[in-house]
Amino acid sequence: MKAVNVKAHRTIVSASLLSADLSKLEKEIKKAESAGCEYIHFDVMDGVFVENISYGLPVLKAVSNISEAAMDVHLMIVNPLKYVKAFAESGADIITFHFEAASNIADTIAAIKSLGKKAGLAIKPRTPVQSILPYLEMLDMVLIMTVEPGFGGQSFIQDALTKISELSEMIREKGLSIPIQVDGGINGKTASKVIKAGASILVAGGYLYHADNMAKAVNSLLSCTGEAT
Ligand code: DX5
Ligand code: ZN
């Protein structure tokens, strides 16, 4: 099993395959790894919870076999509990599901952890952070969406910054050390802002895969001090 570091307060970059050239997946994954991405972000969309349909279990199995990086699976699907075992068996290291998609949140977190995987809970831009409070102690990661889930290449929603700060404060008050992941519209500019607000795991798709030099783009995220400009 891969060692997954989800310690809070150290910046980690997770490359979203949604913006990769899917006809060259192995090359695109190796490129992200050598550019300094510790995680590969794998977006699963079912056409029900979100408009779009992406890829699923067989593709995860193939990419997890050829990658050294941790498989950071973001489930944008209804009824995630039904599928967590299959995703774990297909190579997921972190399994994040949506608060809005599940009625049995505590059971879903427990199922992920019983499979020996890290459990993340995601919220959409209009879902208040307070929704997560009852589950905080059980979680290995919280994902604050910084765009509406469903598509890559959207613009960062500034209002998410307040939510990141609030959640960061809630985590501190409880004496916990849970990393906050952000996903959507992350680039050299928005990264400083989210880090300043308290995020440490940065998902980026377009910014990395459309860059002329991916290593430089990753470094621009990793070198952000959190001093927003
Ligand atoms: C959107 C996905 C994201 C997406 C981010 O629903 O969850 O992971 O790939 O893409 P960028 O970084 O291009 O906004
Ligand atoms: Zn995602």
Side-chain angles (χ1 to χ4, degrees):
M1 209 202 306
K2 285 165 192 158
V4 184
N5 196 331
V6 283
K7 277 223 163 66
H9 310 308
R10 185 173 69 84
T11 307
I12 287 173
V13 177
S14 187
S16 174
L17 289 184
L18 215 51
S19 296
D21 179 345
L22 299 181
S23 69
K24 302 188 179 79
L25 260 185
E26 181 164 13
K27 193 170 152 242
E28 295 285 70
I29 286 167
K30 295 294 161 201
K31 186 173 156 189
E33 286 174 10
S34 50
C37 298
E38 286 181 54
Y39 295 176
I40 296 294
H41 187 79
F42 192 89
D43 287 303
V44 183
M45 304 178 183
D46 65 354
V48 180
F49 180 68
V50 289
E51 280 290 309
N52 205 1
I53 297 178
S54 56
Y55 29 63
L57 295 162
V59 181
L60 177 64
K61 196 166 192 173
V63 300
S64 66
N65 278 333
I66 53 119
S67 178
E68 302 300 317
M71 289 295 136
D72 171 29
V73 175
H74 176 193
L75 296 180
M76 287 164 272
I77 63 172
V78 294
N79 198 5
L81 180 56
K82 186 175 171 191
Y83 295 98
V84 290
K85 188 163 183 275
F87 278 99
E89 286 169 354
S90 298
D93 296 297
I94 304 168
I95 302 180
T96 300
F97 66 99
H98 270 265
F99 169 82
E100 304 85 357
S103 50
N104 34 19
I105 290 170
D107 290 348
T108 310
I109 298 169
I112 296 169
K113 295 183 93 166
S114 75
L115 292 157
K117 307 299 175 184
K118 304 280 183 198
L121 187 58
I123 51 170
K124 297 209 279 186
R126 272 172 282 193
T127 303
V129 277
Q130 285 71 19
S131 329
I132 281 178
L133 204 51
Y135 311 103
L136 221 43
E137 270 94 352
M138 300 176 72
L139 290 167
D140 296 303
M141 187 176 87
V142 175
L143 167 54
I144 304 247
M145 289 303 298
T146 42
V147 298
E148 283 297 334
F151 297 90
Q154 302 180 74
S155 300
F156 179 83
I157 297 173
Q158 298 288 336
D159 289 354
L161 292 171
T162 315
K163 289 167 69 177
I164 299 165
S165 305
E166 280 175 20
L167 177 62
S168 204
E169 190 52 39
M170 280 159 51
I171 292 171
R172 229 190 337 266
E173 273 172 11
K174 282 185 167 269
L176 299 168
S177 179
I178 305 163
I180 300 174
Q181 183 177 58
V182 285
D183 184 8
I186 299 301
N187 56 40
K189 282 197 178 120
T190 55
S192 303
K193 298 181 184 180
V194 294
I195 290 172
K196 188 179 186 191
S200 60
I201 304 178
L202 314 183
V203 177
Y207 181 63
L208 300 185
Y209 278 106
H210 301 154
D212 292 333
N213 182 330
M214 194 194 276
K216 260 194 188 162
V218 172
N219 275 330
S220 75
L221 300 179
L222 290 175
S223 62
C224 281
T225 58
E227 294 305 318
T229 47

